[in-house]
Amino acid sequence: MVYLSLSFRVKLDVEALNMVESIGNVTRHRRAPIVVKTSEGYLVRYVQVVSGESLAHAYQANLADLAVKLGLPVCPLCRRHEFLKHSDESLLKRDDAEPWEKDLAKKGIDAHTFESTVVKNCVVEDVGGFLYPQLTVKRTSKFQVSYLVPASEELEAVALEAQFHVRYAEEKEQQQIYWVETGSGVYTALFNLDIDGIGYTSSVKKEKVVDDEERLKRIKAAIQAAQLTFSNMLMGAKRTRFHPLWEITSAVLALSHPVAFAVSAGHRRNYIVSTVERARKQLDSLKKLGVGEDITIYYYIGNDRGVVEEPASGATRVELFEELFSKAIEYVEERVK
Ligand SMILES: [Zn+2]
């Protein structure tokens, strides 16, 4: 199993990436509770967040667009970023359904054939999974993503504030006042990718459904789509007027094989060092069990220099956040067969 795990910190100023409701003329930002350690123990703080669903939608949209550019198959709905997936029989009978989709509605199709046909014809559902309850086809997503939340050790530098705006009209009485809650702070998120699962069925049995060349192309697209999503901040809603100012301040990426290893969350300033120490422990214990594990770690330190601790050994530093993903692609080119 080749497994990719990424954790990063990003400084966002004046973001309105995930709004949840309007109360009168105020649009509210999504909030969620996080647990924070203080000198007296743990307490809960309510802070602005961007949901994992929002990030997952953005990642899949970026993956769909990239896959189309690479000539990889993407189904008509995913191409339009309508991630209904193949979740209901009615969707198979749409007017614009492709012949392979219409065939899936025929009687006698078994769960395995259903999954392998969808995986073969849609990279987004290969990587992002789908659920078809009628035949109990449950394809688990090959990627996982957390919420984007303020880093718990940087809560002194977090603010949520409603900004005043006026919608102009020629008649003064018709001008409208509105407020948008915007957040600023150092945020963190986690992203994992089960590279081994891409191009294989998994619901009923494991079987490869595309050839090696296409599988490698799909894996590279899945990694590159993560780079596009996070390094360009191609995610979140309300982007027309509220594009945030962003800066990735540090990140750590681990590639592991054959046992999965997940990096530490970026809440704490020692998260890169902690990742390296945990990897060392996992390597030791697997070695004792006779498993020849490999964990390769790359990290990036930008403006977090002097704030986030750097490991003395056990990981390679890259000069740019984007390089983490090219290193990951090099890794899979060597190992994925
Ligand atoms: Zn699709």
Side-chain angles (χ1 to χ4, degrees):
M1 167 186 254
V2 180
Y3 195 82
L4 178 154
S5 181
L6 167 76
S7 176
F8 63 90
R9 283 177 154 213
V10 56
K11 184 170 88 67
L12 288 169
D13 286 321
V14 200
E15 60 83 11
L17 289 170
N18 199 179
M19 313 309 278
V20 283
E21 59 181 346
S22 292
I23 301 172
N25 54 0
V26 179
T27 318
R28 289 187 67 233
H29 200 295
R30 180 186 290 277
R31 286 172 173 82
I34 63 166
V35 177
V36 184
K37 194 179 175 191
T38 69
S39 53
E40 278 136 50
Y42 290 100
L43 57 83
V44 166
R45 283 274 303 269
Y46 284 81
V47 289
Q48 70 270 25
V49 299
V50 181
S51 78
E53 284 300 310
S54 171
L55 300 191
H57 178 90
Y59 170 70
Q60 291 180 105
N62 294 325
L63 175 61
D65 292 351
L66 182 63
V68 168
K69 289 187 184 92
L70 292 171
L72 289 166
V74 180
C75 80
L77 286 173
C78 289
R79 237 178 276 154
R80 298 203 297 265
H81 302 172
E82 291 172 22
F83 300 121
L84 294 162
K85 312 276 185 80
H86 290 87
S87 56
D88 191 80
E89 202 179 337
S90 61
L91 293 166
L92 308 174
K93 297 171 178 168
R94 304 177 333 267
D95 289 342
D96 69 337
E98 291 184 350
W100 64 269
E101 296 181 281
K102 290 188 171 137
D103 284 350
L104 288 175
K106 285 181 183 162
K107 290 220 174 343
I109 294 275
D110 62 277
H112 177 68
T113 308
F114 193 99
E115 188 195 6
S116 63
T117 306
V118 174
V119 168
K120 191 171 195 292
N121 288 286
C122 184
V123 171
V124 175
E125 282 161 276
D126 179 0
V127 178
F130 66 94
L131 178 70
Y132 188 71
Q134 280 97 330
L135 288 176
T136 332
V137 182
K138 181 174 178 277
R139 179 169 179 81
T140 317
S141 174
K142 305 304 164 202
F143 78 94
Q144 307 161 334
V145 65
S146 72
Y147 273 44
L148 184 74
V149 305
S152 65
E153 283 194 351
E154 310 302 341
L155 286 189
E156 294 292 315
V158 164
L160 187 63
E161 181 74 28
Q163 297 297 322
F164 172 87
H165 297 273
V166 178
R167 192 163 286 125
Y168 177 76
E170 285 195 359
E171 299 294 326
K172 205 176 171 192
E173 298 72 37
Q174 288 175 357
Q175 291 183 359
Q176 287 178 340
I177 289 170
Y178 66 100
W179 303 76
V180 179
E181 271 192 348
T182 58
S184 297
V186 176
Y187 298 65
T188 184
L190 263 169
F191 173 85
N192 294 331
L193 183 65
D194 167 15
I195 287 171
D196 253 20
I198 298 172
Y200 280 89
T201 56
S202 59
S203 184
V204 179
K205 58 181 172 179
K206 191 171 177 180
E207 192 177 270
K208 191 154 71 171
V209 289
V210 292
D211 64 32
D212 290 345
E213 192 187 335
E214 177 165 337
R215 188 164 169 267
L216 187 58
K217 209 170 169 184
R218 285 179 178 215
I219 292 167
K220 288 185 194 176
I223 296 170
Q224 200 66 54
Q227 184 258 308
L228 295 176
T229 306
F230 302 126
S231 97
N232 299 307
M233 284 288 127
L234 293 179
M235 60 189 199
K238 207 171 171 61
R239 300 296 300 277
T240 43
R241 302 286 177 85
F242 275 86
H243 192 78
L245 294 162
W246 84 96
E247 182 184 3
I248 302 278
T249 51
S250 61
V252 62
L253 181 141
L255 297 143
S256 49
H257 170 75
V259 179
F261 172 79
V263 297
S264 302
H267 273 309
R268 302 179 63 178
R269 294 177 172 184
N270 71 350
Y271 79 109
I272 299 176
V273 170
S274 143
T275 297
V276 172
E277 286 171 356
R278 287 179 41 246
R280 209 169 272 150
K281 286 282 170 219
Q282 178 161 318
L283 287 170
D284 283 351
S285 50
L286 286 172
K287 198 175 172 187
K288 282 177 193 152
L289 291 174
V291 179
E293 168 81 334
D294 174 64
I295 303 176
T296 301
I297 302 171
Y298 296 99
Y299 70 97
Y300 162 72
I301 297 257
N303 226 2
D304 264 344
R305 191 161 295 164
V307 176
V308 163
E309 291 170 38
E310 286 191 56
S313 63
T316 308
R317 196 177 84 202
V318 296
E319 292 307 311
L320 290 168
F321 175 65
E322 292 72 14
E323 272 181 75
L324 295 173
F325 302 89
S326 26
K327 292 288 182 195
I329 286 174
E330 282 169 24
Y331 186 93
V332 299
E333 277 175 340
E334 276 174 31
R335 274 160 230 261
V336 172
K337 286 174 196 83

